[in-house]
Amino acid sequence: MEMPTPNAAVISRKDQIVARLAKVLPPDAVISDIRETKAYECDGLTAYRCPPMCAVLPANTGEVVAVLKICHEMGVPVVPRGSGTSLAGGALPTADCVILGVAKMNAVIETNYDDRYIRVQSGRTNLSVTGAVEQNGFFYAPDPSSQLACAIAGNIAMNSGGAHCLKYGVTTNNLLGITMVMMDGTVVEIGGAHLDAGGLDLLGVICGSEGQLGVVTEATLRILHKPEGARPVLMGYDSSEVAGQVVTDIIKAGVLPVAIEFMDRPCIEATENFAKAGYPMCEALLIVEVEGSDAEIDAQLALIMKIAASHNPVELREAKDAEEAGRIWLGRKSAFGAMGQINDYMCLDGTIPVSSLPHVLRRIGEMSKQFGLDVGNVFHAGDGNMHPLILFDANKPGDLELCEEFGAEILKLCVEVGGCLTGEHGVGIEKRDLMNVQFAPADIEAQMAVKDVFDPAWLLNAAKVFPLASSEPRRAA
Amino acid sequence: MTPENEDDLAQMITGASGPLRIVGGGTRPIGRCAGEALSTAQLSGITLYEPGALTLVAKAGTPVAEIETALAAENQRLAFEPMDHRALLGTKGTPTIGGVVAANVSGPRRISVGACRDFMLGVRFVDGTGTIIKNGGRVMKNVTGYDLVKLLTGSYGTLGVLTEVSLKVLPAVATQATLTLDGLDDATAIAAMSASLSSPYEVTGVAHDPATGKTCFRLEGFADSVAYRADALAKALAKFGTLDVVDDARTVKATWAAIRDVAAFADQPGDVWRLSVKPSDAAGIVAGIGAKAVQYDWGGGLIWALTQGGDLRAALGDFKGHATLIRGTADVPTFQPESAPLAAITAGLRAKFDPRGILNPGIMS
Ligand SMILES: Cc1cc2nc3c(=O)[nH]c(=O)nc-3n(C[C@H](O)[C@H](O)[C@H](O)COP(=O)(O)OP(=O)(O)OC[C@H]3O[C@@H](n4cnc5c(N)ncnc54)[C@H](O)[C@@H]3O)c2cc1C
């Protein structure tokens, strides 16, 4: 993955820049020693690394304003960072940048159960938002698998999803308001405890803008009362066609499960070896979870089991208690870890229309042979968000490149069948140069025009999202 | 002007020499603007509907009724329940899906499932320079590039003329019931509504009408589940009174259609304002504005106020939320004036998407 040539003029002024930042921040909040900046050299896309010129860790909105004013004035690129779990290289530094990390900003500012919201500083981790309200029976719905580590700031920037978004939506559907500092230091307050924007839906376009429009410092999030209970069923089928049909039939029957997860044979085999969850060896495995009171769960599951049974399952297992439910989820939750045991892997994130699942899986299987790399598929089947995991050997010269090439072909296939390049991980650097596959030049131009308004000098995380060739004239200006 | 297709529309916009007033069904004349009428009537028809994938794509001029009929045939629906403005605004015509999206029109279920914008998966539109642009797509999860879908939804045509929208749809429900409390004052009603929304019983509509003293709660789902939750909710709200349950399908439907369309104000003279506020602020706000009548939806988060006229915002002062003049003659901005930095961003975006300022100019001021 290519990155722009760092701005030598900026790097040559490193001492002055650091000195000015040190004046507005506490001593331990400015990190410029190369041994320490290395801690920020990559995010979850670990194949790409580059230590930043320096990193700052402000503690509040005021300090973020001070940092951005200096960087703006001195023409220094800034890359915002939450917890650094992005799988797309969204938080990857450039050698001439200041990493602005919000990790210190993790306070709960207000909780309001009557009006069902919580306001937090953006560096707070996703899981600890739920942690702050669960003693009152509430939770924050979006639940990325990385929720123990990832920050609300990163969730907003990537519009992250989770296993339960079929029912609860993704970040953008649960975000009520933000405080954001623009690159020139202007503070904007958008939304709040009330619903829907008054004017243009700026919150909507900022959510998912990958740290390119401003630095989010605080957020108001919708919280919900926990359901009375939840229970999964597991079903195994001989073919992905049949499993796909089961998903369609369930949805058409009017049941809305909170999650429908799909795993294919390579993935089942890997997780069985690793986690021993007792999954059946078959072509396609589905985990379907519903919520409600015991009686409601029974009723919904009865309907689902009937549909499942009518398609000749090789296995059909309903969780009778919490322990069995845990076992059903065990394999799915350890899928990434299991694949990681076998080899290095790259996790893709394209979305397809649910109806093209069998076709896409067949094509991925064919490509796997062609490229000579194994691939396993984990899939949020209810919403078409695929996570093909391509196995490769990072120590073998050329394998990473081959894997990336294979990955690109899969994503092109997703677009070809009417889907998209990324369902929840974001574009970052990883899919940046594939944007032309999904979008015409005018579509990309319209998006870049939005950045022009928020960050006219293109200093914020500018080497991401858009093909470098497309953003070049703006970045160079 | 009535373009026959997207290319036609693009050419008309490119060639336009003055302001254009974009018209879908013409049933929601919210905000004022002058200009030559540009109708989306010919850009009509459902282009794709996949019930198993919960997605529907339609051209912007497609009548909402046509979409609802197609969905009903597959036992599905537009879950955000778009309001029909005709009775309230005294308009005729056929509401179009493009109009719904351009105005981000939602109904009582907004409080539980989200607004129109939350169901929007993709758009095609023509901007003020005549450029055809697409964003989003037809799949439910998509974070590829910036979310211009949200930006266009609720932009009242000021950033571009929508030509096609794709929507997430949801299964229809087997049973609906309305539970009613009687005789609560506003503040107590809001407390009761908050209690219901803070329960696990998945209430999908919560409204209070001070004129009738009725506080309504809607439950939906499979019959057994609705019965169970009705019971549980009655227990949870026991301290507010005894809940009366109505589960006759037609009555329930009519009740919520009336709430959705603010039917109570349709035949009453006066200006109509729509306020989005923090629910626990609502009763206090209403007490301070001296309206002729009000109606609360969204558990108190949405206030419909019927006034004598004049500038309601003067009475509101500095409050948290926003107020929109939906019907009336008051010579005030239709939309809540924004803070200076937000107004600058908005103006900047308009200048990019519509540099000549010809698309519904001024409609959102
Ligand atoms: C094991 C694993 C599992 C995962 N599972 C999921 C999943 O289920 N669903 C999912 O959606 N994602 C998942 N992810 C991806 C990742 O966790 C999410 O993208 C997450 O939201 C990133 O949060 P972060 O705090 O780590 O952000 P970072 O990685 O630090 O940054 C992500 C982006 O946010 C920007 N940013 C950070 N802070 C700010 C700020 N204050 N203001 C503006 N922009 C900012 C950055 O510039 C960058 O572009 C997973 C990752 C891993 C490693």
Side-chain angles (χ1 to χ4, degrees):
Chain A
M1 226 66 73
E2 199 194 334
M3 287 299 273
T5 317
N7 186 331
V10 169
I11 295 176
S12 73
R13 283 182 297 149
K14 173 174 173 176
D15 291 347
Q16 284 159 270
I17 295 162
V18 170
R20 281 196 63 185
L21 292 170
K23 273 201 195 123
V24 297
L25 294 176
D28 63 344
V30 184
I31 297 155
S32 60
D33 186 312
I34 179 68
R35 281 163 303 187
E36 293 174 63
T37 53
K38 222 171 146 21
Y40 299 93
E41 70 180 355
C42 72
D43 57 20
L45 185 67
T46 51
Y48 295 91
R49 293 162 196 265
C50 170
M53 182 171 66
C54 76
V56 294
L57 301 171
N60 53 49
T61 304
E63 290 184 1
V64 172
V65 171
V67 167
L68 289 180
K69 276 193 171 148
I70 292 169
C71 293
H72 186 246
E73 213 181 286
M74 301 183 79
V76 183
V78 172
V79 175
R81 181 180 171 103
S83 303
T85 68
S86 168
L87 292 170
L92 176 73
T94 50
D96 55 6
C97 89
V98 170
I99 281 279
L100 193 164
V102 293
K104 271 192 186 171
M105 301 170 45
N106 59 7
V108 172
I109 298 163
E110 186 195 355
T111 44
N112 182 324
Y113 297 103
D114 286 339
D115 296 316
R116 302 166 301 284
Y117 69 84
I118 181 170
R119 188 161 175 88
V120 297
Q121 283 187 310
S122 66
R124 193 168 182 89
T125 60
N126 175 294
L127 194 60
S128 71
V129 172
T130 289
V133 295
E134 69 186 343
Q135 77 279 10
N136 287 55
F138 282 75
F139 72 114
Y140 173 61
D143 58 343
S145 318
S146 52
Q147 67 183 151
L148 189 62
C150 65
I152 291 300
N155 292 176
I156 294 171
M158 292 314 203
N159 190 14
S160 303
H164 295 85
C165 59
L166 191 56
K167 177 167 177 194
Y168 296 111
V170 295
T171 303
T172 192
N173 312 113
N174 292 276
L175 178 66
L176 296 170
I178 53 169
T179 301
M180 183 177 86
V181 187
M182 303 219 290
M183 188 62 214
D184 66 1
T186 307
V187 179
V188 292
E189 299 285 344
I190 305 179
H194 57 277
L195 294 173
D196 297 339
L200 295 179
D201 191 355
L202 300 178
L203 199 56
V205 76
I206 289 166
C207 191
S209 63
E210 306 203 10
Q212 293 198 309
L213 301 185
V215 175
V216 174
T217 57
E218 294 180 12
T220 305
L221 308 168
R222 180 173 82 130
I223 52 173
L224 297 170
H225 196 284
K226 283 191 181 159
E228 289 179 88
R231 218 186 300 151
V233 286
L234 178 149
M235 35 189 108
Y237 291 96
D238 277 338
S239 79
S240 58
E241 273 92 347
V242 177
Q245 193 55 47
V246 172
V247 173
T248 308
D249 287 357
I250 290 172
I251 288 173
K252 276 187 159 179
V255 200
L256 195 64
V258 275
I260 308 182
E261 297 286 305
F262 175 105
M263 286 167 73
D264 69 357
R265 180 184 279 276
C267 222
I268 301 168
E269 280 172 3
T271 50
E272 266 311 289
N273 291 335
F274 179 70
K276 312 222 171 355
Y279 284 0
M281 282 303 152
C282 57
E283 292 312 309
L285 182 145
L286 293 173
I287 299 171
V288 182
E289 182 161 271
V290 297
E291 283 181 352
S293 66
D294 271 342
E296 289 175 284
I297 290 175
D298 286 343
Q300 292 179 73
L301 287 187
L303 193 65
I304 289 171
M305 295 292 269
K306 202 171 131 201
I307 294 167
S310 73
H311 289 277
N312 289 322
V314 296
E315 172 120 3
L316 193 52
R317 195 191 304 164
E318 184 179 339
K320 292 276 177 290
D321 52 37
E323 203 239 302
E324 273 187 76
R327 210 138 17 88
I328 287 181
W329 274 112
L330 177 67
R332 167 62 184 91
K333 290 197 169 154
S334 43
F336 287 20
M339 298 296 274
Q341 288 277 305
I342 307 180
N343 229 329
D344 300 300
Y345 70 82
M346 186 165 111
C347 171
L348 302 179
D349 170 49
T351 307
I352 58 168
V354 185
S355 51
S356 34
L357 173 64
H359 168 72
V360 169
L361 287 180
R362 205 176 319 114
R363 288 284 298 125
I364 291 179
E366 288 163 16
M367 284 192 246
S368 167
K369 292 206 185 80
Q370 197 183 319
F371 281 91
L373 293 174
D374 285 333
V375 55
N377 282 289
V378 193
F379 185 57
H380 304 298
D383 52 38
N385 190 189
M386 306 191 77
H387 289 313
L389 302 169
I390 308 176
L391 296 175
F392 70 102
D393 181 354
N395 294 323
K396 193 169 146 195
D399 230 30
L400 170 67
E401 290 73 17
L402 190 65
C403 172
E404 286 182 342
E405 217 181 297
F406 182 9
E409 287 310 311
I410 293 178
L411 295 183
K412 285 180 196 167
L413 175 64
C414 291
V415 175
E416 186 189 302
V417 298
C420 66
L421 299 171
T422 168
E424 57 181 18
H425 294 168
V427 178
I429 58 159
E430 193 203 10
K431 280 145 286 196
R432 185 187 62 194
D433 298 302
L434 287 172
M435 287 284 276
N436 289 320
V437 176
Q438 190 176 329
F439 293 111
D443 305 331
I444 291 179
E445 181 63 31
Q447 297 177 34
M448 292 195 298
V450 171
K451 182 162 171 66
D452 291 341
V453 173
F454 284 84
D455 174 26
W458 279 63
L459 289 172
L460 262 177
N461 216 8
K464 315 288 168 69
V465 184
F466 306 109
L468 284 184
S470 309
S471 63
E472 155 71 23
R474 286 163 153 100
R475 284 182 291 107
Chain B
M1 285 193 258
T2 309
E4 306 230 324
N5 54 45
E6 194 177 58
D7 287 330
D8 215 17
L9 170 67
Q11 274 177 19
M12 285 180 187
I13 293 181
T14 308
S17 53
L20 300 171
R21 189 167 52 86
I22 305 148
V23 185
T27 67
R28 310 177 205 272
I30 299 163
R32 273 163 298 205
C33 79
E36 186 179 351
L38 173 71
S39 165
T40 60
Q42 294 294 316
L43 309 171
S44 183
I46 295 169
T47 40
L48 178 135
Y49 176 28
E50 268 189 33
L54 300 175
T55 43
L56 180 139
V57 184
K59 293 190 191 148
T62 312
V64 177
E66 185 180 325
I67 290 173
E68 285 177 338
T69 306
L71 292 173
E74 293 288 342
N75 203 26
Q76 298 188 337
R77 64 182 182 183
L78 293 176
F80 57 94
E81 207 178 4
M83 165 178 185
D84 184 340
H85 281 84
R86 283 176 291 187
L88 184 67
L89 302 185
T91 48
K92 299 211 163 46
T94 309
T96 64
I97 194 66
V100 166
V101 173
N104 187 28
V105 179
S106 316
R109 211 177 284 111
R110 193 267 169 268
I111 190 69
S112 68
V113 300
C116 173
R117 54 92 84 180
D118 296 296
F119 288 84
M120 283 295 294
L121 304 177
V123 289
R124 293 181 65 90
F125 64 98
V126 179
D127 75 5
T129 68
T131 306
I132 298 171
I133 296 163
K134 70 165 184 303
N135 194 261
R138 53 171 276 215
V139 287
M140 260 194 253
K141 270 173 85 185
N142 187 349
V143 296
T144 321
Y146 293 175
D147 193 346
L148 303 186
V149 179
K150 300 265 178 337
L151 188 63
L152 266 286
T153 305
S155 67
Y156 284 82
T158 60
L159 301 177
V161 181
L162 295 167
T163 56
E164 189 175 82
V165 298
S166 63
L167 290 153
K168 171 181 169 183
V169 300
L170 284 182
V173 292
T175 321
Q176 300 184 310
T178 307
L179 285 66
T180 313
L181 282 169
D182 222 338
L184 302 182
D185 63 44
D186 290 15
T188 315
I190 283 167
M193 294 194 284
S194 286
S196 76
L197 288 166
S198 300
S199 78
Y201 307 125
E202 302 195 354
V203 183
T204 68
V206 215
H208 175 69
D209 185 351
T212 61
K214 292 207 187 303
T215 315
C216 297
F217 307 86
R218 180 173 56 187
L219 294 173
E220 298 177 292
F222 293 109
D224 291 349
S225 162
V226 169
Y228 164 80
R229 283 180 285 140
D231 233 37
L233 192 63
K235 287 196 190 102
L237 300 182
K239 69 169 176 188
F240 297 102
T242 309
L243 283 156
D244 177 46
V245 183
V246 173
D247 56 9
D248 166 60
R250 277 180 51 198
T251 317
V252 176
K253 237 181 135 195
T255 301
W256 291 94
I259 293 169
R260 181 193 70 191
D261 299 342
V262 206
F265 295 177
D267 299 321
Q268 296 190 51
D271 287 3
V272 176
W273 289 80
R274 181 181 181 276
L275 283 68
S276 176
V277 303
K278 179 162 114 178
S280 57
D281 289 347
I285 286 174
V286 165
I289 57 176
K292 292 205 308 187
V294 299
Q295 189 177 303
Y296 299 92
D297 195 352
W298 301 355
L302 177 66
I303 303 169
W304 290 98
L306 183 72
T307 69
Q308 306 279 8
D311 187 0
L312 184 73
R313 292 196 193 99
L316 281 165
D318 188 19
F319 79 112
K320 289 203 168 64
H322 54 88
T324 313
L325 179 62
I326 299 293
R327 181 182 87 187
T329 48
D331 188 22
V332 297
T334 303
F335 289 81
Q336 186 76 29
E338 295 181 300
S339 68
L342 290 188
I345 294 171
T346 299
L349 290 170
R350 291 230 167 83
K352 288 283 178 189
F353 284 86
D354 179 22
R356 292 179 294 165
I358 58 168
L359 301 179
N360 280 350
I363 200 171
M364 284 188 84
S365 53

